[in-house]
């Protein structure tokens, strides 16, 4: 880590600079009183600045007045201290501190600002988060938060350097813009100069970055702020930051290589680890089939297995109905889970999949260790459904799943995607419960060949899985023509780390007619196309190059590197999970006059 080279007039060194070789030098330091101790009339303070901590000693016998004044110092007072660097007495060195061999004997003390008692102890890791957010400027003084923000800077800086070296230009795009169809609600801003009209804050700079390709800029990036009005979770914020990239004359593989190189650099420079490349690749279909997720956590093995064949002729009506109705039957063997999963717990899990994922149930077989009876190999199977299975089915199931004493087998019987998804969630929960996940593993992976379109029953129409600008695979264009929309695959890819989506992108449509066709399939008629996307369609008719791109979530990436629990830990001034900035109290009610200026009449009262 570089030392702060810019100290200007107030100080000669930072609080992390002084070592044995400085002994005897006169120095001036500035910072906050971190701790103060009175040792038989001798005051010791730990002086803290952004770089570190230095011990200051006020000796009454050397500088009486200054020592006297030091008695009044309190935690978080801001001071300027001059003095002489001295070695600490043998045996009093602090090996944990970079400056632990020395101390500064104070000869001058200037209190630059007194501090009130902080509302919480700054070194207490268990402080309530609301209190921290309300006084974020204090929270950010703490070691972990300073480390996180430095790390964030390092990741952003590495990104800029890496992309600059490869000819990418950092170009800003408007924050006041048009609605973008990225799948969330827009934040709207009324325009005073154009009564009755609104800007939308960008959910992503998607159309602008594509238009920059039409404009011939060829390689664009931006560390871009994006705004999405969604319900918040631990890893979501209404405004967040993306490393946004777009380039012309580029194929899927080029973008994946570029991002692998970027992540190698970021992990090397910020965490000192070498990540292996190329990352494994898995199609969406494979990921769903094997892991029940489009962002599979591949740090542990247990995989989903199709057991439809075993039960194709079964007397068990529930399985048969699903199979005969075109659904699938998948199973998952939670190896060694029997001891950890009581019947009550399994009931709770069933409730969980029902309420959370709308599953009809969670069929299971538990085989407790030591329960197999002589001559009856399946006697130990505990399950509400095995009584409907024939012995042949049981034997085939056990063999296919490697089912043994001590295991719990789960079933997912439903339409393909739902069956996979539910078992995928069960898989993650088992891994958590059984401690299958190795602590330090970094499992990167590309998931490719996503479907282009999905059917939304709520909207009763097709919606874009990535976004409407994503290119269908050339070999699937006949399926698009034939109206087999669900079968069309996209040239879209996500980069996944330990079961989390780090980012995603696609090769784009650059032909006007194909783009118009996709809008039509998405239920956007010609008039609406003109109104909402006329600029893009028009631009495509003036020589748009083939292009594609990707965006990585910067907050999430930094969170993972920092080992933080939530992205709020790596954002200087985040909103809480109700979308409120507790420090400034934003969002606030706006007075009538200001609203009238932008032609808004509020019908809501703050709740
Ligand atoms: N605009 C997309 C997103 O925000 C990323 C991309 O396609 O480049 O998810």
């Amino acid at each position: 880590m570089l030392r702060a080279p810019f100290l200007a007039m107030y100080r000669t060194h930072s609080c992390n600079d002084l070592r044995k070789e400085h002994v005897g030098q006169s120095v001036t330091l500035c910072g906050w009183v971190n701790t103060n101790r009175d040792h038989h009339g001798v005051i010791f303070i730990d002086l803290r600045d952004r770089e570190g901590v230095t011990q200051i000693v006020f000796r009454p016998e050397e500088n009486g007045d200054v020592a006297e004044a030091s008695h009044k110092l309190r935690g978080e007072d801001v001071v300027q201290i001059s003095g002489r660097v001295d070695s600490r007495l043998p045996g009093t060195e602090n090996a944990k501190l970079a400056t632990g061999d020395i101390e500064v004997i104070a000869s001058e003390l200037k209190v630059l600002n007194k501090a009130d008692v902080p509302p919480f102890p700054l070194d207490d890791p268990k402080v309530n988060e609301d209190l921290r957010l309300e006084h974020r400027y204090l929270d950010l003084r703490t070691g972990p938060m300073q480390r996180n923000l430095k790390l964030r800077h390092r990741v952003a800086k590495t990104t800029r350097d890496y992309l600059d070296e490869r000819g990418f230009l950092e170009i800003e795009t408007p924050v006041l813009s048009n609605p973008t169809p990225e799948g969330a609600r827009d934040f709207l801003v009324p325009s005073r100069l154009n009564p009755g009209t609104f800007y939308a804050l960008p959910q992503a700079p998607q159309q602008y970055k594509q238009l920059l390709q039409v404009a011939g800029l060829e390689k664009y990036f931006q560390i871009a702020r994006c705004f999405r009005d969604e319900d918040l979770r631990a890893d979501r914020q209404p405004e967040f930051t993306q490393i946004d990239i777009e380039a012309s004359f580029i194929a899927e593989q080029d973008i994946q290589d570029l991002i692998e190189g970027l992540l190698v650099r970021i992990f090397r420079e910020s965490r000192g680890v070498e990540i292996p490349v190329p990352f494994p690749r898995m199609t969406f279909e494979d990921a769903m089939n094997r892991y029940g997720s489009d962002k599979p956590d591949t740090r542990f093995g247990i995989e989903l297995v199709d057991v439809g064949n075993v039960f194709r002729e079964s007397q068990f009506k529930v399985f048969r109905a699903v199979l005969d109705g075109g659904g699938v039957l998948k199973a998952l063997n939670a190896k060694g889970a029997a001891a950890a999963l009581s019947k009550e717990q399994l009931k709770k899990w069933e409730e969980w999949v029902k309420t959370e994922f709308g599953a009809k149930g969670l069929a299971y077989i538990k085989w407790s260790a030591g329960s197999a009876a002589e001559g009856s190999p399946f006697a130990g199977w505990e399950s509400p459904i095995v009584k409907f299975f024939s012995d042949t089915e049981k034997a085939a199931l056990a063999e296919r799943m490697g089912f043994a004493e001590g295991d719990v087998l789960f079933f997912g019987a439903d339409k393909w995607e739902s069956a996979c998804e539910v078992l995928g969630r069960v898989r993650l929960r088992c891994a958590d419960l059984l401690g299958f996940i190795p602590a330090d593993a970094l499992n990167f992976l590309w998931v490719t060949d996503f479907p282009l379109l999905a059917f939304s029953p709520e909207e009763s129409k097709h919606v874009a899985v990535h976004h409407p600008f994503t290119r269908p695979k050339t070999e699937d264009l006949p399926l698009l023509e034939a109206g087999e929309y669900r079968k069309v695959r996209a040239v879209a890819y996500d980069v996944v780390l330990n079961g989390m989506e780090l980012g995603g992108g696609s090769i784009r449509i650059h032909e006007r007619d194909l783009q118009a066709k996709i809008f039509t399939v998405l239920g956007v008629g010609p008039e609406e196309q003109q109104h909402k996307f006329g600029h893009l369609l028009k631009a495509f008719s003036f020589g748009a190059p083939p292009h594609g791109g990707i965006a990585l979530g910067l907050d999430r990436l930094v969170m993972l590197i920092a080992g933080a629990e939530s992205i709020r830990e790596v954002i200087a001034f985040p909103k809480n999970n109700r979308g409120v900035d507790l420090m400034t109290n934003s969002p606030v009610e706006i007075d009538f006059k200001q609203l009238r200026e932008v032609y808004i009449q509020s019908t809501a009262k703050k709740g």
Side-chain angles (χ1 to χ4, degrees):
M1 177 59 70
L2 284 176
R3 290 210 208 127
F6 180 69
L7 292 163
M9 305 297 285
Y10 268 88
R11 49 191 167 168
T12 58
H13 295 82
S14 84
C15 291
N16 197 30
D17 280 343
L18 301 173
R19 302 285 185 274
K20 267 227 148 38
E21 66 262 28
H22 297 97
V23 167
Q25 281 187 22
S26 292
V27 298
T28 302
L29 304 179
C30 288
W32 289 261
V33 174
N34 200 42
T35 53
N36 46 343
R37 302 177 295 284
D38 186 339
H39 248 269
H40 313 295
V42 181
I43 300 290
F44 288 80
I45 69 166
D46 279 349
L47 186 66
R48 182 192 78 233
D49 68 8
R50 197 187 77 176
E51 307 303 325
V53 166
T54 300
Q55 177 165 292
I56 314 288
V57 189
F58 295 88
R59 290 198 187 137
E61 70 277 16
E62 287 193 32
N63 301 292
D65 290 355
V66 175
E68 181 62 36
S70 73
H71 282 265
K72 298 210 186 76
L73 290 177
R74 294 292 171 263
E76 300 310 308
D77 285 348
V78 184
V79 294
Q80 181 186 45
I81 287 164
S82 297
R84 187 185 80 248
V85 184
D86 207 353
S87 299
R88 292 202 196 182
L89 289 176
T92 66
E93 298 94 343
N94 182 353
K96 286 201 208 112
L97 214 58
T99 59
D101 286 337
I102 58 95
E103 57 197 11
V104 172
I105 315 297
S107 53
E108 275 175 60
L109 165 67
K110 192 164 170 189
V111 177
L112 300 173
N113 212 347
K114 289 292 292 173
D116 285 344
V117 177
F120 55 89
L122 298 193
D123 53 0
D124 180 354
K126 288 205 223 43
V127 178
N128 165 290
E129 196 189 8
D130 280 0
L131 197 59
R132 291 174 52 204
L133 289 174
E134 189 185 334
H135 305 89
R136 189 61 156 182
Y137 43 87
L138 293 180
D139 185 40
L140 293 180
R141 284 187 194 167
T142 61
M145 293 309 291
Q146 298 236 328
R147 263 196 301 284
N148 287 353
L149 291 187
K150 285 178 187 169
L151 175 71
R152 187 182 177 108
H153 163 77
R154 186 62 39 219
V155 172
K157 172 78 167 64
T158 304
T159 301
R160 289 200 161 93
D161 291 347
Y162 174 88
L163 291 170
D164 174 65
E165 286 158 23
R166 280 152 189 79
F168 283 77
L169 303 179
E170 183 168 9
I171 302 173
E172 288 156 277
T173 54
V175 165
L176 296 177
S177 62
N178 277 354
T180 37
E182 294 276 351
R185 246 178 244 117
D186 292 307
F187 282 102
L188 299 175
V189 181
S191 162
R192 184 182 57 83
L193 296 177
N194 303 279
T197 64
F198 293 81
Y199 301 101
L201 303 184
Q203 293 185 34
Q206 184 61 35
Q207 293 180 57
Y208 289 112
K209 67 174 175 173
Q210 289 191 240
L211 289 163
L212 286 170
Q213 304 313 305
V214 182
L217 270 308
E218 292 198 21
K219 291 176 184 170
Y220 143 97
F221 85 98
Q222 181 178 195
I223 299 196
R225 191 62 63 84
C226 303
F227 305 85
R228 295 185 191 179
D229 187 3
E230 328 182 77
D231 295 334
L232 306 179
R233 296 197 305 253
D235 58 349
R236 290 253 172 95
Q237 281 280 303
E239 52 181 307
F240 59 95
T241 308
Q242 283 187 347
I243 301 172
D244 198 42
I245 294 174
E246 194 79 6
S248 299
F249 311 114
I250 198 161
E252 176 173 7
Q253 176 80 43
D254 298 316
I255 294 176
Q256 292 170 355
D257 290 348
L258 180 81
I259 295 304
E260 286 175 3
L262 173 62
L263 289 168
V264 165
R265 264 281 274 280
I266 288 175
F267 275 78
R268 184 184 296 148
E269 286 180 24
S270 65
R271 197 163 146 173
V273 296
E274 284 301 314
I275 54 175
V277 286
F279 302 161
R281 280 157 173 74
M282 194 181 289
T283 64
F284 165 79
E285 198 178 338
D286 251 7
M288 291 299 290
N289 266 328
R290 293 172 55 194
Y291 298 96
S293 167
D294 61 358
K295 36 183 181 302
D297 191 337
T298 52
R299 286 175 297 174
F300 58 96
I302 38 173
E303 292 190 15
L304 281 50
V305 176
D306 195 306
V307 291
N309 275 346
V310 176
F311 292 95
R312 186 97 21 226
E313 307 297 330
S314 180
Q315 296 303 306
F316 182 39
K317 288 206 191 77
V318 178
F319 284 180
R320 268 299 286 280
V322 169
L323 291 171
D324 293 348
V328 299
L329 179 59
K330 312 270 292 185
L332 174 85
N333 185 358
K335 279 266 157 224
L341 280 170
S342 64
K343 264 208 177 130
E344 292 69 54
Q345 249 162 326
L346 286 162
K347 265 225 132 11
K348 278 195 195 138
W349 282 29
E350 178 155 23
E351 276 314 303
W352 162 66
V353 297
K354 277 185 181 164
T355 46
E356 202 119 315
F357 315 111
K360 288 178 206 81
L362 180 64
Y364 67 88
I365 308 171
K366 177 174 163 175
W367 193 352
S368 295
S371 64
E374 192 66 26
S376 163
F378 314 118
W381 290 22
E382 293 166 55
S383 162
I385 57 168
V386 278
K387 56 177 178 276
F388 304 109
F389 296 179
S390 69
D391 275 1
T392 325
E393 282 163 0
K394 286 181 194 167
L397 180 68
E399 149 133 35
R400 182 129 177 71
M401 298 305 300
F403 191 39
E405 276 185 44
D407 299 348
V408 178
L409 210 59
F410 291 99
F411 295 93
D414 209 330
K415 287 196 211 84
W416 176 72
E417 207 158 330
S418 317
C420 294
E421 252 167 34
V422 166
L423 276 193
R425 301 304 288 252
V426 171
R427 173 179 179 269
L428 292 178
R429 207 155 169 182
C430 289
D432 240 5
L433 180 79
L434 302 171
F436 282 160
I437 303 176
D440 285 329
L442 291 172
N443 278 40
F444 288 92
L445 161 92
W446 287 104
V447 177
T448 64
D449 296 24
F450 280 87
L452 185 74
L453 302 161
F455 189 77
S456 157
E458 300 90 53
E459 297 173 71
S460 58
K461 66 184 184 77
H462 285 94
V463 291
V465 169
H466 188 47
H467 51 52
F469 317 109
T470 299
R471 186 169 199 81
K473 280 192 159 240
T474 308
E475 61 266 40
D476 291 354
L477 285 175
L479 292 168
L480 189 70
E481 283 309 316
E484 302 251 29
Y485 299 139
R486 304 280 304 282
K487 293 195 184 145
V488 181
R489 290 163 304 162
V491 194
Y493 32 80
D494 277 0
V495 59
V496 173
L497 168 59
N498 294 351
M500 261 180 269
E501 183 193 324
L502 276 189
S506 58
I507 300 297
R508 325 296 185 189
I509 297 165
H510 61 275
E511 307 91 331
R512 183 194 164 103
D513 291 350
L514 182 56
Q515 185 64 76
K517 157 101 192 164
I518 296 291
F519 284 143
T520 306
V521 171
L522 293 170
V524 184
E527 224 168 276
E528 198 182 347
Q529 285 181 31
Q530 267 322 307
H531 176 63
K532 286 189 176 160
F533 305 108
H535 53 282
L536 193 74
L537 292 169
K538 193 162 157 192
F540 283 177
S541 60
F542 288 112
H547 60 282
I550 192 164
L552 303 184
L554 177 70
D555 310 289
R556 198 173 294 177
L557 180 60
V558 177
M559 171 183 101
L560 287 167
I561 298 174
E565 295 272 302
S566 125
I567 58 170
R568 294 192 291 275
E569 297 295 305
V570 298
I571 297 174
F573 297 106
K575 311 277 188 284
N576 72 1
N577 56 13
R578 294 176 303 285
V580 175
D581 175 347
L582 291 172
M583 186 180 66
T584 62
N585 277 324
S586 125
V588 289
E589 276 180 286
I590 298 293
D591 67 35
F592 170 72
K593 187 166 161 285
Q594 212 179 338
L595 282 179
R596 203 177 46 188
E597 274 172 5
V598 290
Y599 308 96
I600 297 259
Q601 204 174 6
S602 174
T603 57
K605 271 267 152 270
K606 200 174 163 191

